[in-house]
Amino acid sequence: MSQSAVPGRDTVYVFLGRTDGDRPAAARRLLRRAGGTLLGRAEAEIRVRRDAAGRPLVDAGDAVELPVSVSHTGGIVVVAARRGGGAGVDVERRRELPALALARRWYAPQEAAWLRGRPPGQRVEAFLLLWTAKEAVGKALGRCLRDGALRRPMPVPGGPGELLRPVPGAGGLRVGHPRLPA
């Protein structure tokens, strides 16, 4: 890859894969693809390892490390990476869960109120949108869901400019949500 084709530092790149069972192997393949793409090296040159806190890293054996984020559910594996620092990604399977009860326990009051205002048939999906945003932001900040991260306020979907909105107190980090039905 020529220098002019090197991906931007602020762009988060997402790599999606499917697997029939060996999620670690699928994740390693995606991590090597991400490292090869963003470091401009052949995938075979990319090493996959973990930092002292257990977060995944990729490198090509030189001084350049690329922090990455991995998530998986069912047969889906997702990797996010960017050249300018940490990135976060989370993926969850749609499933029945007590969305309002969980929101009362774990979400900031304004988020729980937003969820209560959703039509009943959309609450589980809306709950999962906020949950995955919280987990992805936590990964990008290097804290995952520790230290009260579930209570970290997230921009809720549905407002103006909803595709990329700043996360309060996260140093300029932005979060995006897919559009919800009206």
Side-chain angles (χ1 to χ4, degrees), residues 137-159:
V137 166
K139 288 178 178 182
L141 295 173
R143 294 192 295 251
C144 293
L145 293 179
R146 294 186 304 271
D147 304 324
L150 283 174
R151 295 246 183 231
R152 180 184 303 113
M154 285 292 120
V156 295

CSV table of all heavy atoms in Angstrom, one decimal, residues 137-159:
chain,number,residue,atom,x,y,z
A,137,VAL,N,-17.7,2.1,23.7
A,137,VAL,CA,-17.0,3.2,24.2
A,137,VAL,C,-16.1,2.8,25.3
A,137,VAL,O,-14.9,3.3,25.4
A,137,VAL,CB,-18.0,4.3,24.7
A,137,VAL,CG1,-17.4,5.4,25.6
A,137,VAL,CG2,-18.7,4.9,23.5
A,138,GLY,N,-16.5,1.9,26.2
A,138,GLY,CA,-15.7,1.4,27.2
A,138,GLY,C,-14.4,0.8,26.7
A,138,GLY,O,-13.3,1.0,27.2
A,139,LYS,N,-14.6,0.0,25.6
A,139,LYS,CA,-13.4,-0.7,25.0
A,139,LYS,C,-12.5,0.4,24.4
A,139,LYS,O,-11.2,0.3,24.5
A,139,LYS,CB,-13.8,-1.6,23.9
A,139,LYS,CG,-14.5,-2.9,24.5
A,139,LYS,CD,-14.9,-3.8,23.3
A,139,LYS,CE,-15.5,-5.1,23.8
A,139,LYS,NZ,-15.9,-6.0,22.6
A,140,ALA,N,-13.0,1.4,23.7
A,140,ALA,CA,-12.2,2.5,23.1
A,140,ALA,C,-11.4,3.2,24.2
A,140,ALA,O,-10.3,3.6,24.0
A,140,ALA,CB,-13.1,3.4,22.3
A,141,LEU,N,-12.0,3.4,25.4
A,141,LEU,CA,-11.4,4.1,26.5
A,141,LEU,C,-10.4,3.2,27.3
A,141,LEU,O,-9.8,3.6,28.2
A,141,LEU,CB,-12.4,4.7,27.4
A,141,LEU,CG,-13.3,5.8,26.8
A,141,LEU,CD1,-14.4,6.2,27.8
A,141,LEU,CD2,-12.4,7.0,26.4
A,142,GLY,N,-10.4,1.9,26.9
A,142,GLY,CA,-9.6,0.9,27.6
A,142,GLY,C,-10.1,0.4,29.0
A,142,GLY,O,-9.4,-0.1,29.8
A,143,ARG,N,-11.4,0.6,29.2
A,143,ARG,CA,-12.0,0.2,30.5
A,143,ARG,C,-13.1,-0.8,30.4
A,143,ARG,O,-13.6,-1.2,31.4
A,143,ARG,CB,-12.5,1.5,31.2
A,143,ARG,CG,-11.5,2.4,31.6
A,143,ARG,CD,-12.0,3.5,32.5
A,143,ARG,NE,-13.0,4.4,31.9
A,143,ARG,CZ,-12.8,5.6,31.6
A,143,ARG,NH1,-11.6,6.2,31.8
A,143,ARG,NH2,-13.7,6.3,31.0
A,144,CYS,N,-13.5,-1.1,29.2
A,144,CYS,CA,-14.7,-2.0,29.0
A,144,CYS,C,-15.9,-1.5,29.8
A,144,CYS,O,-16.2,-0.3,29.8
A,144,CYS,CB,-14.3,-3.4,29.2
A,144,CYS,SG,-13.2,-4.0,28.0
A,145,LEU,N,-16.5,-2.4,30.6
A,145,LEU,CA,-17.7,-2.0,31.4
A,145,LEU,C,-17.3,-1.9,32.9
A,145,LEU,O,-18.2,-1.8,33.7
A,145,LEU,CB,-18.8,-3.0,31.2
A,145,LEU,CG,-19.4,-3.0,29.8
A,145,LEU,CD1,-20.5,-4.1,29.7
A,145,LEU,CD2,-20.0,-1.6,29.4
A,146,ARG,N,-16.0,-1.8,33.2
A,146,ARG,CA,-15.6,-1.6,34.6
A,146,ARG,C,-15.8,-0.1,35.0
A,146,ARG,O,-16.1,0.8,34.2
A,146,ARG,CB,-14.1,-1.9,34.7
A,146,ARG,CG,-13.8,-3.4,34.5
A,146,ARG,CD,-12.3,-3.6,34.7
A,146,ARG,NE,-11.4,-2.8,34.0
A,146,ARG,CZ,-10.9,-3.1,32.8
A,146,ARG,NH1,-11.3,-4.2,32.2
A,146,ARG,NH2,-10.1,-2.3,32.2
A,147,ASP,N,-15.7,0.1,36.3
A,147,ASP,CA,-15.7,1.4,36.9
A,147,ASP,C,-17.0,2.2,36.6
A,147,ASP,O,-16.9,3.4,36.2
A,147,ASP,CB,-14.5,2.2,36.5
A,147,ASP,CG,-13.2,1.5,36.8
A,147,ASP,OD1,-13.2,0.8,37.9
A,147,ASP,OD2,-12.2,1.5,36.1
A,148,GLY,N,-18.1,1.6,36.6
A,148,GLY,CA,-19.4,2.3,36.4
A,148,GLY,C,-19.7,2.7,35.0
A,148,GLY,O,-20.5,3.6,34.7
A,149,ALA,N,-19.1,2.0,34.0
A,149,ALA,CA,-19.2,2.3,32.6
A,149,ALA,C,-20.7,2.2,32.1
A,149,ALA,O,-21.1,2.9,31.2
A,149,ALA,CB,-18.3,1.5,31.8
A,150,LEU,N,-21.4,1.3,32.7
A,150,LEU,CA,-22.8,1.2,32.3
A,150,LEU,C,-23.6,2.4,32.7
A,150,LEU,O,-24.6,2.7,32.0
A,150,LEU,CB,-23.5,-0.1,32.9
A,150,LEU,CG,-23.1,-1.4,32.3
A,150,LEU,CD1,-23.7,-2.5,33.0
A,150,LEU,CD2,-23.6,-1.4,30.8
A,151,ARG,N,-23.1,3.2,33.6
A,151,ARG,CA,-23.8,4.4,34.0
A,151,ARG,C,-23.3,5.6,33.2
A,151,ARG,O,-23.8,6.7,33.4
A,151,ARG,CB,-23.7,4.7,35.5
A,151,ARG,CG,-24.4,3.6,36.3
A,151,ARG,CD,-25.5,4.2,37.1
A,151,ARG,NE,-26.2,3.2,37.9
A,151,ARG,CZ,-27.5,3.1,37.9
A,151,ARG,NH1,-28.2,3.8,37.1
A,151,ARG,NH2,-28.0,2.2,38.6
A,152,ARG,N,-22.2,5.4,32.4
A,152,ARG,CA,-21.7,6.5,31.6
A,152,ARG,C,-22.8,6.9,30.6
A,152,ARG,O,-23.3,6.1,29.8
A,152,ARG,CB,-20.5,6.0,30.8
A,152,ARG,CG,-19.9,7.1,29.9
A,152,ARG,CD,-18.7,6.7,29.1
A,152,ARG,NE,-17.7,6.1,29.9
A,152,ARG,CZ,-17.4,4.8,29.8
A,152,ARG,NH1,-18.0,3.9,29.1
A,152,ARG,NH2,-16.4,4.3,30.6
A,153,PRO,N,-23.2,8.2,30.6
A,153,PRO,CA,-24.3,8.6,29.7
A,153,PRO,C,-23.9,8.5,28.3
A,153,PRO,O,-22.8,8.8,27.9
A,153,PRO,CB,-24.5,10.1,30.1
A,153,PRO,CG,-23.9,10.3,31.4
A,153,PRO,CD,-22.8,9.3,31.5
A,154,MET,N,-24.8,8.0,27.5
A,154,MET,CA,-24.6,7.8,26.0
A,154,MET,C,-25.6,8.7,25.3
A,154,MET,O,-26.7,8.9,25.8
A,154,MET,CB,-24.9,6.4,25.6
A,154,MET,CG,-23.8,5.4,25.9
A,154,MET,SD,-22.3,5.6,25.0
A,154,MET,CE,-21.2,5.8,26.3
A,155,PRO,N,-25.3,9.2,24.2
A,155,PRO,CA,-26.3,9.9,23.4
A,155,PRO,C,-27.3,8.8,22.9
A,155,PRO,O,-26.9,7.7,22.5
A,155,PRO,CB,-25.5,10.4,22.2
A,155,PRO,CG,-24.1,10.2,22.4
A,155,PRO,CD,-23.9,9.3,23.6
A,156,VAL,N,-28.6,9.2,23.1
A,156,VAL,CA,-29.6,8.2,22.7
A,156,VAL,C,-29.9,8.3,21.2
A,156,VAL,O,-29.8,9.4,20.6
A,156,VAL,CB,-30.9,8.3,23.5
A,156,VAL,CG1,-30.6,8.0,25.0
A,156,VAL,CG2,-31.5,9.7,23.4
A,157,PRO,N,-30.2,7.2,20.5
A,157,PRO,CA,-30.6,7.3,19.1
A,157,PRO,C,-31.9,8.2,18.9
A,157,PRO,O,-32.7,8.3,19.8
A,157,PRO,CB,-30.9,5.9,18.7
A,157,PRO,CG,-30.3,5.1,19.8
A,157,PRO,CD,-30.3,5.9,21.0
A,158,GLY,N,-32.0,8.8,17.7
A,158,GLY,CA,-33.2,9.5,17.4
A,158,GLY,C,-33.1,11.0,17.3
A,158,GLY,O,-34.0,11.6,16.8
A,159,GLY,N,-32.0,11.5,17.8
A,159,GLY,CA,-31.9,13.0,17.8
A,159,GLY,C,-31.3,13.5,16.5
A,159,GLY,O,-30.8,12.7,15.7
